[in-house]
Amino acid sequence: MGEMEQMKKEAEALKTQIEAARKAAHDTDMASAASGVAPAPRVQLKTRRTLKGHLAKIYAMHWCTDNRLMVSASQDGKLLIWDSHTGNKVNAVPLKSSWVMTCAYAPSGNLVASGGLDNMCTVYNLKTPVIKTVKELDAHTGYLSCARFLSDTEVLTASGDTTCALWDLETGKQKTVFLNHVGDCMCLSLSPDMNSFVSGACDSLAKLWDIRDGQCKQTFLGHTSDINAISFYPGGNAIITGSDDCTCKMYDLRADQELITYQDAALNSGVTSLALSMSGRLIFAGYDDFNCNIWDSLKGEKVGVLSGHDNRVSCTGVPPDGMCVCTGSWDSFLKIWN
Amino acid sequence: MTIRSDRDHGQRYRPRMSCLKKLEATVVQMQDPSTGVKGTDQKLNITTIPHVITGQDIVAWITKNVNIDNDEAQAFGTMLVAFGYIYPLQDHKKLVLRPDGSLYRFQTPYFWPVQKWKAEDTDYAIYLAKRNIRKKGVLHAYEQEEYNKLHKWMNHKWDFIVMQAKEQYQFQSLSKADRVVFDCQERAYWIVHRPPPQTHSAMDYGLDRHIDRNAEEKKTYDYYRRIIIYTQQAVMRSRVKSSVSLGALAKYITTFKNHDPFLVPCLPSNPWHTDDNSYWELNAPDVEIPTKMSVERWSFSFYELLNDPRGRADFKIFLKKEFSGENLAFWEAAEELKWGTAASMSEKAEQIFKTFLAPGAPRWINIDGRTMGLTVKGLEHPHRYVLDAAQTHIFMLMKKDTFYRYLKSPVYKEIQKKAISPAPHNFSEAQLQQNMRNRRPSINPIITWQKEQEEKAKAAAAAGPVDIKKLMASKLDRK
């Protein structure tokens, strides 16, 4: 018992120390640093396309690097690949398990992946006229909440069993397992230089991992509930997280602390998904109250709303060239706004 | 009364319900006798229902106290109704807040939605059974269906359910008015948790989570050890001052502002607005003449230059003039090794060693002795990241030296002059309609990727060392 008490005291002392260090480094806040920048204009976006084709709730979507194709996953058991500009469906991939929670497009455009309550990440090859399963990555003991391709040979997954894993697609085995979270991992985001990634989990922590050595490099505290969405800032030095506690926060990696919180007294529903515009100025956050709010990342103010969905916005995405934003919802429609 | 068991559905728990805590705080404020929403008594047939409030009063209170405008206040109010904190007296199946004289009441805390547990099927069965006992045929069609379903699944418990229903029904110590009120409240509770078909339910949250958020983590030795290790590492880590990082953020945003299609309209026109593909065609990776915006973007950072295929090509031209193309070639070869297939790795590693690292190699790169030693040693057992140290060194070299010289070079200045600045489109209504009809699908990225691979293979073959003997032999043959 005495040992426990000692450890508790040590932990408390260290916590105070780090609070003090962080406070000392926090010599200015966002408002003053951003005072020189002109406020963002009021953003009013119109729906340019409504993609109809799914028959049940859409849980995830992901843009391809060519800025036109995208893949979406719905609980009707299908992955649909759309040419968003014409609105045509290019491909439909039937899934073995309809409880899908995530989908991903490979940067080369050759592969797509899906995963969900089946605890597996299934990778499909789009090159052949009949779409075939390349591999079923099966080693997680919890549902698959997010998957992202690093290349045609490596996939990163986040799972409800509190781990993230890096898989080798040729052998189908896990190369590295990232262990540190104590709650379900809900989302992940790759850094622009592909050397690290961040994951958000139900323990309200966001963690930065080094892909090469599998270690957790930094942990970001501040949220009071599950982190549902996470994204790297385009420059690679900051991350934005969205949580069930109805707020989004921006953390800086080099300063190792929270810089700004995007919250509003009137917002009483959790954030389900996040996407950033290509300069990083605008944050598109999808909420449980059927809307997607647009935040000015520097000033911390709401500058617009995308309303048009009849149910929760479950996923948002901005293509690499930043030309538009796509929102997918439980009402089974995907809308493209600009 | 019913025994409410603490739910345990295989340790799964509900996501998205943490907003309930926030709503409860507001609801408590609203019920404050002095500063809350003013209620009156309402006569309903022969009974009087106390503490009835109107929709418009609710909206007005929210607008004032939460300090938002009317539309948002209405949305907020609707959420309170959808979650079951306030229930409508008229038209009880539609859970929206009407900002007029429609009557509402606050739900009793006993029936508030709680983050910790779900409304159980057993309780629902008891509720439906009770209503059935009271008056046969009073259940709606969807309720009848649910009742039949529950009767089938819970057949083993049915005696218990009927017994509980009878007990609750006979528990008559409340006055008539209270009973009417209680019935309303119970009915409202079940409309929220078992919504009629074709309505949205605010309690619909998707799939359960694995780990119970409400359970406190056991404070074991391991728990403290973890915290201590983490905090120690965090304390030792050097941290940048907020002003520096915020400044960098603001700088990045300002630099890229003109390139963000959401903030500044792009030239010639945004394909999503006008259905004209010119923008995408002008910025294609293999385009002859790049746009001024692209060329400007290359100057922002070395990373941007390398990322844009057209920029990289231009940089290659510059390097050729300087006779220092081997650095970029090595960098590209290292990237190929990093992301390539495992089978090709040893072959690629050997190729790279012969071309770039061996003493006297045709494209020998200039890296310091230590890095060279480590890399050569690592190449004996090649793996994906064996060239990482060397690649970083070369990247830094190019970034700090070659990149700046490139920006000042005649090659860059020339491309800046040649770059086009397309005129903004000005389509008439008819032309826009025409564009919409002419929407064509893009080239599939798979095809683009295959073409790239073929071109790379050709380039690699062409760049390989020339076999003089063969060349002479072919020349002699022709004679």
Side-chain angles (χ1 to χ4, degrees):
Chain A
M1 240 320 117
E3 204 186 345
M4 282 278 264
E5 278 304 308
Q6 230 184 349
M7 298 203 66
K8 196 167 168 194
K9 281 216 187 84
E10 202 183 329
E12 295 297 313
L14 281 169
K15 270 196 202 157
T16 348
Q17 220 183 336
I18 197 174
E19 286 298 308
R22 282 194 176 146
K23 215 154 165 229
H26 195 67
D27 57 349
T28 176
D29 65 357
M30 190 57 117
S32 23
S35 55
V37 184
R42 183 103 198 143
V43 182
Q44 264 161 335
L45 305 180
K46 285 203 222 134
T47 308
R48 302 290 167 183
R49 302 276 186 280
T50 304
L51 303 176
K52 304 184 195 190
H54 279 298
L55 304 169
K57 299 178 176 164
I58 294 177
Y59 262 79
M61 57 82 53
H62 194 214
W63 284 96
C64 180
T65 45
D66 78 337
N67 304 309
R68 286 182 60 153
L69 293 182
M70 52 179 254
V71 61
S72 62
S74 150
Q75 299 229 313
D76 60 6
K78 282 240 163 31
L79 278 187
L80 287 181
I81 298 169
W82 308 82
D83 176 338
S84 49
H85 193 62
T86 54
N88 296 337
K89 299 184 234 323
V90 174
N91 262 314
V93 184
L95 304 170
K96 268 203 212 151
S97 154
S98 72
W99 300 107
V100 63
M101 292 175 75
T102 182
C103 59
Y105 219 126
S108 62
N110 293 329
L111 308 167
V112 284
S114 73
L117 287 186
D118 56 0
N119 298 1
M120 295 193 304
C121 178
T122 319
V123 180
Y124 305 90
N125 185 344
L126 298 178
K127 286 191 274 198
T128 53
V130 174
I131 298 178
K132 291 215 200 85
T133 308
V134 169
K135 269 279 179 315
E136 282 177 352
L137 306 174
D138 186 7
H140 278 300
T141 52
Y143 58 81
L144 210 83
S145 51
C146 192
R148 284 291 176 258
F149 280 94
L150 291 170
S151 65
D152 275 8
T153 50
E154 293 180 306
V155 177
L156 257 181
T157 55
S159 163
D161 63 5
T162 76
T163 66
C164 297
L166 175 70
W167 303 77
D168 182 342
L169 278 180
E170 296 168 301
T171 58
K173 298 265 183 301
Q174 287 176 327
K175 281 208 286 200
T176 326
V177 183
F178 303 93
L179 305 159
N180 206 305
H181 278 298
V182 291
D184 310 18
C185 293
M186 292 311 295
C187 50
L188 63 89
S189 173
L190 278 173
S191 74
D193 64 7
M194 308 262 241
N195 284 332
S196 50
F197 74 96
V198 280
S199 64
C202 289
D203 52 11
S204 16
L205 303 174
K207 289 185 189 278
L208 173 75
W209 309 83
D210 183 321
I211 294 182
R212 292 268 313 281
D213 62 21
Q215 296 305 316
C216 167
K217 294 294 176 197
Q218 283 176 270
T219 304
F220 303 99
L221 307 142
H223 277 297
T224 51
S225 189
D226 313 355
I227 295 180
N228 290 323
I230 198 166
S231 178
F232 253 100
Y233 215 76
N237 279 327
I239 58 171
I240 315 256
T241 55
S243 159
D244 265 353
D245 63 9
C246 321
T247 66
C248 294
K249 287 180 194 280
M250 184 203 288
Y251 297 92
D252 186 282
L253 301 181
R254 295 180 303 170
D256 196 29
Q257 57 183 307
E258 177 190 327
L259 292 181
I260 192 169
T261 303
Y262 306 97
Q263 65 187 353
D264 197 295
L267 284 172
N268 261 294
S269 45
V271 179
T272 59
S273 50
L274 272 184
L276 293 169
S277 73
M278 62 84 76
S279 71
R281 188 68 195 268
L282 299 176
I283 301 174
F284 300 95
Y287 286 77
D288 281 342
D289 64 1
F290 307 4
N291 292 334
C292 180
N293 289 318
I294 309 176
W295 296 89
D296 176 342
S297 61
L298 281 188
K299 304 278 181 186
E301 295 160 349
K302 219 163 63 161
V303 292
V305 183
L306 302 174
S307 30
H309 281 295
D310 294 325
N311 207 328
R312 277 207 176 112
V313 173
S314 54
C315 47
T316 36
V318 171
D321 65 358
M323 296 295 276
C324 61
V325 58
C326 176
T327 52
S329 158
W330 281 6
D331 64 6
S332 77
F333 299 131
L334 292 149
K335 283 186 193 277
I336 303 203
W337 311 76
N338 189 298
Chain B
M1 280 317 260
T2 350
I3 304 156
R4 209 166 226 120
S5 61
D6 219 354
R7 61 189 298 289
D8 176 70
H9 289 194
Q11 285 190 318
R12 298 183 197 242
Y13 102 102
R14 307 189 289 172
R16 312 211 196 291
M17 293 293 149
S18 59
C19 56
L20 296 181
K21 284 195 208 136
K22 293 193 173 189
L23 287 180
E24 278 176 20
T26 316
V27 172
V28 168
Q29 266 189 313
M30 282 174 86
Q31 293 192 13
D32 186 288
S34 46
T35 56
V37 188
K38 293 278 174 280
T40 52
D41 290 349
Q42 194 73 23
K43 242 180 152 39
L44 177 72
N45 297 342
I46 40 171
T47 50
T48 315
I49 304 189
H51 306 304
V52 172
I53 46 185
T54 60
Q56 58 207 24
D57 281 344
I58 298 176
V59 175
W61 188 94
I62 296 174
T63 318
K64 199 175 79 171
N65 289 61
V66 184
N67 209 356
I68 46 177
D69 60 336
N70 227 326
D71 286 331
E72 286 200 69
Q74 205 181 318
F76 190 104
T78 302
M79 278 202 78
L80 288 175
V81 178
F83 273 116
Y85 287 103
I86 299 177
Y87 64 94
L89 289 177
Q90 305 138 325
D91 198 5
H92 61 271
K93 280 207 233 150
K94 239 179 156 214
L95 297 176
V96 279
L97 186 75
R98 269 189 263 266
D100 50 22
S102 314
L103 304 170
Y104 295 87
R105 283 196 85 235
F106 287 109
Q107 180 65 286
T108 172
Y110 178 74
F111 282 134
W112 279 359
V114 173
Q115 202 185 350
K116 287 199 179 185
W117 58 75
K118 261 203 312 209
E120 295 280 343
D121 281 331
T122 322
D123 296 325
Y124 190 45
I126 295 174
Y127 165 68
L128 289 177
K130 191 166 54 163
R131 283 185 51 200
N132 225 358
I133 294 174
R134 177 175 302 151
K135 193 160 133 201
K136 280 242 181 296
V138 76
L139 294 176
H140 294 273
Y142 77 93
E143 287 176 325
Q144 189 66 49
E145 245 187 80
E146 287 293 314
Y147 185 67
N148 295 340
K149 258 197 266 173
L150 288 169
H151 182 87
K152 226 190 334 178
W153 291 351
M154 299 197 171
N155 220 328
H156 56 284
K157 294 211 255 187
W158 206 250
D159 294 333
F160 169 71
I161 289 175
V162 171
M163 185 181 74
Q164 285 286 318
K166 284 206 179 109
E167 259 192 60
Q168 288 188 23
Y169 178 60
Q170 282 155 4
F171 190 60
Q172 300 260 10
S173 78
L174 302 166
S175 69
K176 182 136 202 290
D178 285 343
R179 214 166 355 111
V180 168
V181 166
F182 180 77
D183 283 342
C184 270
Q185 289 171 340
E186 200 180 17
R187 184 182 62 182
Y189 176 76
W190 286 113
I191 298 263
V192 169
H193 290 273
R194 294 285 187 274
Q198 321 249 301
T199 52
H200 287 300
S201 168
M203 301 314 261
D204 182 12
Y205 57 80
L207 304 161
D208 280 318
R209 303 266 200 244
H210 222 137
I211 308 254
D212 189 356
R213 196 72 174 64
N214 296 316
E216 269 297 321
E217 204 193 339
K218 274 195 284 224
K219 306 241 189 307
T220 56
Y221 176 78
D222 244 357
Y223 169 75
Y224 285 118
R225 207 171 72 96
R226 225 182 325 122
I227 295 187
I228 290 174
I229 294 178
Y230 157 68
T231 347
Q232 273 173 342
Q233 284 179 336
V235 169
M236 286 192 296
R237 198 177 302 132
S238 65
R239 60 182 54 76
V240 159
K241 281 202 189 297
S242 288
S243 49
V244 173
S245 45
L246 286 172
L249 234 48
K251 185 156 169 260
Y252 187 94
I253 289 182
T254 333
T255 319
F256 279 88
K257 175 161 177 264
N258 289 336
H259 294 258
D260 192 335
F262 282 111
L263 300 174
V264 163
C266 61
L267 302 169
S269 65
N270 194 320
W272 292 99
H273 290 170
T274 57
D275 287 319
D276 182 287
N277 288 356
S278 317
Y279 177 82
W280 282 326
E281 281 166 19
L282 289 172
N283 284 297
D286 51 1
V287 73
E288 256 295 328
I289 304 178
T291 59
K292 274 213 163 42
M293 293 299 269
S294 301
V295 177
E296 191 192 5
R297 205 164 153 184
W298 301 343
S299 67
F300 289 161
S301 82
F302 188 47
Y303 176 76
E304 291 290 329
L305 177 67
L306 284 190
N307 241 356
D308 186 351
R310 185 67 189 74
R312 206 192 279 197
D314 206 58
F315 189 57
K316 271 195 198 140
I317 298 178
F318 168 70
L319 289 176
K320 215 160 148 198
K321 292 211 170 136
E322 293 240 316
F323 299 104
S324 57
E326 69 273 2
N327 285 341
L328 186 62
F330 175 73
W331 186 87
E332 284 187 330
E335 284 287 292
E336 285 245 2
L337 186 72
K338 231 184 355 180
W339 303 121
T341 60
S344 61
M345 216 159 288
S346 50
E347 192 199 312
K348 279 196 197 151
E350 225 194 285
Q351 183 82 337
I352 292 178
F353 178 74
K354 266 201 287 192
T355 325
F356 296 103
L357 298 169
R363 306 188 82 180
W364 192 78
I365 52 164
N366 196 352
I367 49 177
D368 66 289
R370 193 170 149 263
T371 319
M372 179 66 92
L374 280 169
T375 314
V376 171
K377 195 146 169 261
L379 277 172
E380 288 168 22
H381 303 282
H383 60 90
R384 220 171 267 280
Y385 302 110
V386 66
L387 295 174
D388 220 45
Q391 190 186 11
T392 319
H393 184 102
I394 292 287
F395 184 83
M396 282 298 160
L397 192 73
M398 287 197 287
K399 180 172 153 180
K400 294 201 173 133
D401 177 48
T402 333
F403 179 55
Y404 289 108
R405 279 191 289 122
Y406 165 71
L407 290 180
K408 298 202 193 95
S409 71
V411 176
Y412 185 67
K413 295 222 178 351
E414 201 190 314
I415 198 88
Q416 271 181 315
K417 261 192 277 181
K418 270 200 347 211
I420 47 173
S421 194
H425 281 150
N426 205 339
F427 290 120
S428 69
E429 190 55 50
Q431 280 170 317
L432 284 176
Q433 294 282 6
Q434 178 84 332
N435 288 343
M436 199 165 64
R437 278 192 289 266
N438 287 346
R439 272 186 224 157
R440 260 169 292 113
S442 58
I443 306 175
N444 200 315
I446 298 177
I447 300 179
T448 326
W449 183 84
Q450 271 173 340
K451 258 202 268 174
E452 261 176 45
Q453 298 297 100
E454 283 166 21
E455 271 168 35
K456 260 194 234 171
K458 261 194 262 169
V466 176
D467 194 340
I468 298 282
K469 275 205 202 132
K470 272 212 195 125
L471 185 63
M472 292 313 294
S474 66
K475 281 205 174 152
L476 287 167
D477 269 342
R478 255 186 278 129
K479 261 197 182 162

